[in-house]
Amino acid sequence: MPPFLRNLFRFQESGLLLVILVLGVLLTAFAGTVRTPKFERTADGGRQRVFTTDAEGNRTPAFEVKNKFLNAQNLAQLAKDTSFIAIMAVGMAIVIISGGIDLSVGSIYALASVLGAMVLHHFGPEGTALAPLAACALGVLVCLATGALCGLANGGLIVALGVHPFIITLGAMAILRGIAFVATKGQSIGGFPADLREFVRFELGNGLSVVPLLVMVVVTVLGWIYLSRLAAGRRVYAIGGNEQAARFSGIRVGRVKLGVYVLAGLAAGVSAVLSLGYYGAATSGDGQGYELNVIAAAVVGGCSLTGGRGSALGVVLGALIIQMIASGIVILGIDQNYSQIIIGAVVIAAVVLDNVNTWLAKRRLTRA
Amino acid sequence: MAHLEFQSITKRFPGVLALDGVSFAIPRGTCHALIGENGAGKSTLGKILAGVYTADAGEMRLDGKPIAPADPLAARALGIAMVHQELAFCPNMSVAENLCLGDLPLRAGGFVDRPALRARAREMLASIHADIDPDALIGTLSTGKEQLVQIAAAVGTGAQVIVMDEPSSSLSAGETRELFTLVRKLKARGLTLIYVSHRMSELFELCDHITVLRDGRHVATEAIPATTPARVVSQMIGRELRAQTPAHLARPAGRERLRLEALSSPGKFSDITLSVRAGEIVGLAGLVGAGRSETVQAAFGLDPAATGRVLVNDRPIAPRSIEAALAARLGLLPEDRKRQGLVLGLNCRENTALASLPVLSRLGWVRRGLERSLADRYQKRLRVKAPSLETIVGGLSGGNQQKIALAKWLARDCDILLIDEPTRGVDVGAKAEIYALLDELACEGKALLVVSSELPELLGLCTRILVLRAGRLAGEVPRTDFSETALMRLMAGVEPAAA
C-alpha cells in the first residue's frame, strides 16, 4: 500500500468521515421527496417561476421533485448551520484538550452578539449615521473583543483562583447571559447597516451562503495550525495530558490556560459576528443551549474530556455530525422537541464508544 | 497442606512482563516475606492476591480451592485483605465511618445508626489494640495510624490473609515497633501475613519464610533460619555485583557548577548547603521523609516556599522560578516519571522535545525537521527501544520511559542534571545502561546530583555522597570511605560505636 493510502486509513478522522457518509446515505434514503416550484434565472439576474405551456396554450406553473435531504438548498442550510457551531467547537476543542471545559460559550456568543448589535444599531441607519463600512468594522471589533475579554475573564479566574473550570464557566454562563439581558432590557436589537448583512449573506448560486462556510474553513485551518504546528499547541496537549509533567518541563501552565479560554471566547465572538450578519438582529436569548451542541461536537469529534487528545478537524466533523442529526430530525418529520434528547444521547454514545476503543487499544498493547 | 498456593502466576503490563510463572506456597499462621528489587514483581503479586489486578495466567489456591478474586471486594469475601501504602480511605470521613463503609449499621428508613457505628469501630480497633479515636477524621491521622486503621478494617471484616505492601516504608521507628508487635499478635491468632518489603533486617526479624523474586520470576522460597541476608541479596541480584569503577572518577573534577546556599523550606528541609562540580556525580542519600526529593525540586525552582540561594556557575539565579533554572541549564529528572516526568499520552518525539520547545520553535512554529532530528539523536544515543519516534510513551517499558524522561533534558542541553531516583521501576538490563550513561555524562563535564533510595546504586556511581537526615545535611562521605554501614549510620542518626 502506498504511504499516502496507509496514512489515510490510519487517519484519526477517517471514522468520523465514515459516520458522516453513512448518516448522509441514511438521510437521503429515508427523507422522501418534496415538490417545490421551479425557478429560473432571468437575464438581469433575478429569479422567476418557470411555466409550462401545454398544447392548448394554458400556462401552468412547473414543479420539480427533490430529495428532502439531498438538495442544494438543504445542504447549503446545513453547511451554514454547521459553521456557526463548528467555529465555536474549534475553540472548545482547544480548551478540552488542555483538560478544561467552557460551559459559557453560548452566553459569550449571546453577549458578544448583543453588544455588537448595540454598536451596529447605534451607528446604523436609525442612529448616529457613521460611514456604513466604519460602523460595520466597529461592530465586528466589539463582537470579537467581547468574546476575547469574556474568555480572558474565565481563564483569569480559573488560573488565579485555582477553581475547576466547570465551576467558573458555569457561573460565567449565567452572569454573561444576565449582562446581555440587562443591557438589552430583553429587547431584540436590529437596524444594522445593510453592508454587513449583504456581505455575510452573499450567495453563490442556489442559496449557498459561502461566507460562514469560508470563515469556518479558515478557523479550522487556524485551529489545526495552532494545535499541531505551533509550540503553543504542543503545550496545550502536554498540559491536558499531564499538567504536573508539563510544569516540571518548564511550561508556564497558567499562561497557556489563560490563552485557551481567550481563544474559546474569541471563537464564540467570530460566530457572533456571523450570526449578526446573517440574522440582522440579536437578543439576549441567542445561543441558548449552544454549549450542549458545541461540547457535543467536540466530544463526538474525538476530544477526550480528560484532556490531551483531540484535533481541530475532528471537532469540525463532529459539528457536522451533530448538525446532520439536528437537521435529520426536521427532515424526517420527528417532533423538534426530541432533538435535545437525541443529541444528548449521541454525546453519551460517543463517549462510550471512545472508552471501548481506548480499552481495546490498551488490551492490544498488553497482548503485544 | 499449604494454606495459600501460587501456581505459575503470570502478569503482563504494557511493555513489561511483571510476573512470569511464579509458584510457591505459604503455610497457615505464618508471616511470609516477599522480597525483590524494584520491578521484581513483589507488589504485583500481592495485588493479584488482593484482587487489585487479575493474573493473565496461572492459579491461586486457598486451602486447596482455586480462587480468582476479580476485585478487592471479592478478595475480601474470601478473607484476603491488603494494607496499602497509598491512602485507601476517604480522608474527610471519620475512622468509624471508614471502618464500616462497606456495611454501615442502619436504622429503619436508611438512617445510619451512629451509636452502633461507633461501637463496632471501637471493637474493631480494640481487637488490634490500636489506641485511635473512632471519631477522628482519617485525614488527620499519621500514616502509621492510618495503616493501623487499615489493619483493623481487615481483621474486623474477618480477613484470614493480610498482604502488607511496604508497611514500614513511611513509619517512624516507634511506629515500626508497634507494627511488629501487632504482626506477631495476628500471627499467634492464626492469621497468615504476606509482608512485601525490601528491608532485609525487618524481614529476618519478623518473618518465617522468605520468597525472592527477580525480574518477575520466582528465585527461591526458604525458611528464614535456613538462609542469610547475604544469600538473599545474591538471589535478588542474581549475580555478584560487579565492582566496576565509573570512568568519571579517573578525570579531575572541573569548576563548580551548582551551589546551594542555606536552602530551606518550612516543614521540608532546612539550611542545605552543597556544591556540585563539573564532571562529578554527587549522591544524595537519606531515609524516606529526609527531604531529598524536596531539596532537588527546590533547587529547580519548584518550591514556592523555598528560601536561600541557588548559584549556577557562581551566579545566583532567581529562586522559585523554573524558567530561571532552565535558563541556567538545569534539568530535573523527577522521582515519579509517570506523574511528573512524562506526558504518557504523547509520543517519544513530543516528550523528548517538551522542555526544548522555546529552542525548537521560531516565531511560535515548531521546526519539525529539527525536532525530529533532535529526538532521533537522543533516541539512538540512549538506545531507547521503541518502534519509532511516533510511539506513544505510555506503552513503553519503565526503562525506556526513564530514558525518554532523561532525553528530554539532554535535548535541552543541560549542564547540571538533578536526577531523582534514576532507576526506580526499571529492569536490571536498563539499569546498567542508565548507570553507564550517567557516568558518560559526567565524563563529558556535566554536573550530576543524584538522589536514590538504593544505596548500592549510589555507592557504585558517585564521586561522593551527601546524607540528609530529617531535612538537614547529616554529613558527607567521600568515595574512599564508601560503605553501606557508614551511610546507614548517617541516615539513621546512629553514632559510630567506638566514638
Side-chain angles (χ1 to χ4, degrees):
Chain A
M1 213 189 293
F4 168 72
L5 265 182
R6 205 167 47 228
N7 280 339
L8 196 69
F9 274 109
R10 216 188 278 156
F11 187 46
Q12 195 183 333
E13 286 81 12
S14 49
L16 292 170
L17 284 173
L18 192 70
V19 171
I20 289 169
L21 217 65
V22 170
L23 264 179
V25 169
L26 286 178
L27 282 175
T28 310
F30 290 104
T33 52
V34 66
R35 241 162 69 97
T36 52
K38 203 170 172 181
F39 288 92
E40 65 180 2
R41 277 198 186 278
T42 54
D44 57 1
R47 268 149 51 104
Q48 69 171 36
R49 291 203 62 167
V50 177
F51 290 86
T52 48
T53 317
D54 60 17
E56 285 141 44
N58 294 329
R59 275 159 54 88
T60 48
F63 285 91
E64 56 187 344
V65 175
K66 291 192 282 195
N67 185 291
K68 268 196 203 167
F69 174 75
L70 198 65
N71 69 67
Q73 263 92 18
N74 184 59
L75 292 182
Q77 175 85 10
L78 179 65
K80 188 260 307 174
D81 289 342
T82 301
S83 48
F84 284 14
I85 296 295
I87 289 165
M88 286 194 269
V90 171
M92 182 65 79
I94 296 172
V95 169
I96 291 180
I97 291 169
S98 82
I101 188 86
D102 187 351
L103 299 176
S104 66
V105 283
S107 298
I108 295 181
Y109 169 88
L111 184 62
S113 295
V114 162
L115 294 185
M118 289 169 90
V119 169
L120 288 169
H121 178 84
H122 185 77
F123 295 112
E126 298 162 37
T128 333
L130 198 70
L133 223 55
C136 287
L138 201 61
V140 167
L141 205 67
V142 166
C143 257
L144 298 181
T146 306
L149 282 175
C150 291
L152 189 70
N154 275 338
L157 286 172
I158 289 163
V159 173
L161 302 181
V163 178
H164 195 280
F166 188 95
I167 308 294
I168 297 288
T169 59
L170 183 70
M173 172 171 137
I175 294 170
L176 298 176
R177 193 170 293 283
I179 295 175
F181 186 82
V182 171
T184 58
K185 302 186 182 72
Q187 302 295 308
S188 169
I189 297 172
F192 307 158
D195 302 55
L196 186 65
R197 188 179 162 82
E198 277 164 19
F199 174 67
V200 175
R201 296 206 98 164
F202 171 78
E203 286 182 2
L204 205 71
N206 238 345
L208 177 64
S209 305
V210 281
V211 174
L213 215 55
L214 278 177
V215 174
M216 173 179 82
V217 170
V218 169
V219 169
T220 310
V221 170
L222 288 178
W224 174 78
I225 288 175
Y226 177 87
L227 283 171
S228 69
R229 289 292 181 270
L230 298 189
R234 188 71 62 76
R235 295 189 177 105
V236 171
Y237 280 102
I239 289 173
N242 186 346
E243 184 170 333
Q244 206 179 359
R247 205 160 60 87
F248 273 59
S249 300
I251 291 172
R252 297 179 200 198
V253 173
R255 188 184 285 194
V256 176
K257 279 190 178 175
L258 200 65
V260 301
Y261 289 95
V262 170
L263 289 177
L266 192 61
V270 172
S271 264
V273 169
L274 291 179
S275 89
L276 284 184
Y278 199 84
Y279 299 112
T283 77
S284 60
D286 284 351
Q288 197 106 46
Y290 269 20
E291 55 282 340
L292 171 67
N293 289 340
V294 171
I295 293 172
V299 170
V300 170
C303 289
S304 158
L305 281 180
T306 49
R309 214 152 49 81
S311 74
L313 184 57
V315 297
V316 171
L317 296 179
L320 182 57
I321 290 175
I322 296 291
Q323 213 53 54
M324 280 174 94
I325 291 168
S327 119
I329 290 166
V330 178
I331 288 168
L332 298 180
I334 301 169
D335 186 343
Q336 267 291 294
N337 299 312
Y338 287 93
S339 86
Q340 295 232 339
I341 299 175
I342 293 172
I343 291 174
V346 166
V347 173
I348 293 174
V351 173
V352 170
L353 263 177
D354 184 57
N355 282 352
V356 170
N357 203 11
T358 314
W359 180 75
L360 284 176
K362 211 177 231 168
R363 222 177 52 158
R364 266 200 305 276
L365 260 178
T366 316
R367 294 284 149 88
Chain B
M1 186 176 60
H3 182 38
L4 185 63
E5 273 178 274
F6 294 94
Q7 195 70 170
S8 322
I9 300 291
T10 299
K11 176 72 185 175
R12 190 185 286 277
F13 289 116
V16 59
L17 189 59
L19 288 173
D20 186 4
V22 172
S23 310
F24 64 97
I26 301 175
R28 180 187 290 276
T30 59
C31 181
H32 197 98
L34 209 49
I35 194 168
E37 289 189 298
N38 289 333
K42 49 192 195 309
S43 290
T44 308
L45 191 66
K47 285 181 176 163
I48 287 174
L49 180 61
V52 180
Y53 299 144
T54 47
D56 294 334
E59 191 176 66
M60 294 183 291
R61 280 194 289 273
L62 188 66
D63 291 325
K65 284 195 293 289
I67 55 164
D71 54 58
L73 217 60
R76 271 288 165 92
L78 291 166
I80 301 165
M82 184 159 190
V83 176
H84 292 270
Q85 301 157 275
E86 308 97 42
L87 200 63
F89 287 127
C90 310
N92 50 357
M93 288 170 74
S94 76
V95 169
E97 284 166 327
N98 272 295
L99 278 174
C100 302
L101 207 51
D103 180 26
L104 287 170
L106 296 180
R107 281 185 216 278
F111 292 97
V112 175
D113 185 348
R114 297 215 147 259
L117 176 80
R118 208 165 289 138
R120 198 195 289 175
R122 213 165 263 137
E123 197 180 305
M124 285 163 98
L125 291 167
S127 78
I128 63 158
H129 309 282
D131 178 25
I132 296 170
D133 176 10
D135 292 322
L137 296 185
I138 286 285
T140 63
L141 298 183
S142 69
T143 321
K145 289 264 193 278
E146 198 218 306
Q147 218 163 51
L148 289 181
V149 178
Q150 285 193 42
I151 296 171
V155 175
T157 51
Q160 289 303 303
V161 178
I162 300 181
V163 183
M164 302 175 120
D165 192 4
E166 305 271 5
S168 63
S169 64
S170 40
L171 299 189
S172 68
E175 286 176 325
T176 308
R177 283 288 121 208
E178 272 179 49
L179 178 74
F180 284 12
T181 318
L182 178 59
V183 166
R184 291 202 181 89
K185 275 182 191 150
L186 294 177
K187 211 165 72 174
R189 271 195 235 166
L191 269 71
T192 307
L193 295 117
I194 298 177
Y195 198 95
V196 179
S197 177
H198 56 243
R199 297 198 177 176
M200 198 75 69
S201 57
E202 287 179 7
L203 300 180
F204 273 80
E205 186 182 339
L206 205 57
C207 298
D208 305 298
H209 302 274
I210 186 164
T211 289
V212 183
L213 297 180
R214 183 174 72 232
D215 301 334
R217 291 205 182 82
H218 177 260
V219 180
T221 297
E222 290 175 305
I224 287 287
T227 186
T228 62
R231 185 175 152 83
V232 171
V233 169
S234 66
Q235 285 167 343
M236 277 166 66
I237 301 167
R239 59 190 142 68
E240 291 306 306
L241 272 176
R242 276 176 301 132
Q244 195 189 22
T245 317
H248 74 88
L249 293 172
R251 294 160 186 258
R255 55 178 295 201
E256 180 186 279
R257 287 280 189 210
L258 173 72
R259 187 160 81 243
L260 308 182
E261 276 181 5
L263 198 66
S264 304
S265 179
K268 292 181 181 166
F269 55 87
S270 60
D271 204 22
I272 307 286
T273 299
L274 61 85
S275 77
V276 185
R277 298 181 350 170
E280 266 192 327
I281 302 181
V282 176
L284 203 54
L287 296 174
V288 172
R292 299 164 302 173
S293 300
E294 290 82 353
T295 303
V296 289
Q297 285 180 14
F300 190 60
L302 280 165
D303 185 344
T307 57
R309 296 212 300 167
V310 178
L311 293 96
V312 173
N313 295 330
D314 276 329
R315 272 202 302 277
I317 63 169
R320 303 180 293 275
S321 153
I322 304 179
E323 284 97 67
L326 284 176
R329 300 170 84 162
L330 241 79
L332 169 70
L333 184 75
E335 173 184 25
D336 185 340
R337 69 176 158 268
K338 290 190 178 175
R339 277 180 45 226
Q340 303 163 329
L342 295 168
V343 182
L344 294 177
L346 293 183
N347 63 32
C348 298
R349 169 177 55 82
E350 290 162 329
N351 268 293
T352 307
L354 204 55
S356 311
L357 285 175
V359 187
L360 284 176
S361 54
R362 189 197 285 143
L363 298 174
W365 289 72
V366 178
R367 288 186 279 180
R368 293 161 69 80
L370 206 62
E371 182 191 25
R372 192 164 294 123
S373 67
L374 189 75
D376 191 48
R377 186 155 78 239
Y378 287 103
Q379 182 123 347
K380 289 208 173 90
R381 169 151 185 212
L382 303 191
R383 287 191 289 278
V384 177
K385 289 178 207 80
S388 83
L389 284 176
E390 309 298 314
T391 306
I392 300 297
V393 165
L396 298 180
S397 73
N400 285 310
Q401 286 184 354
Q402 189 71 335
K403 288 179 186 173
I404 295 280
L406 190 56
K408 180 171 78 179
W409 295 116
L410 298 182
R412 179 71 202 231
D413 200 15
C414 290
D415 289 335
I416 304 159
L417 288 165
L418 309 168
I419 296 177
D420 199 353
E421 301 291 355
T423 62
R424 178 169 287 179
V426 166
D427 56 70
V428 183
K431 264 185 184 178
E433 286 188 55
I434 290 176
Y435 294 151
L437 181 76
L438 295 183
D439 185 28
E440 204 178 303
L441 292 171
C443 287
E444 284 170 19
K446 295 196 188 299
L448 280 76
L449 184 61
V450 177
V451 171
S452 177
S453 304
E454 293 180 43
L455 292 183
E457 178 167 294
L458 293 179
L459 293 172
L461 202 58
C462 296
T463 323
R464 56 200 167 89
I465 299 175
L466 303 168
V467 178
L468 286 183
R469 182 172 68 236
R472 286 177 177 278
L473 217 50
E476 174 173 339
V477 184
R479 180 129 196 140
T480 45
D481 296 345
F482 272 10
S483 78
E484 286 210 32
T485 351
L487 287 174
M488 274 313 294
R489 279 213 181 95
L490 280 170
M491 283 160 65
V494 183
E495 296 306 317

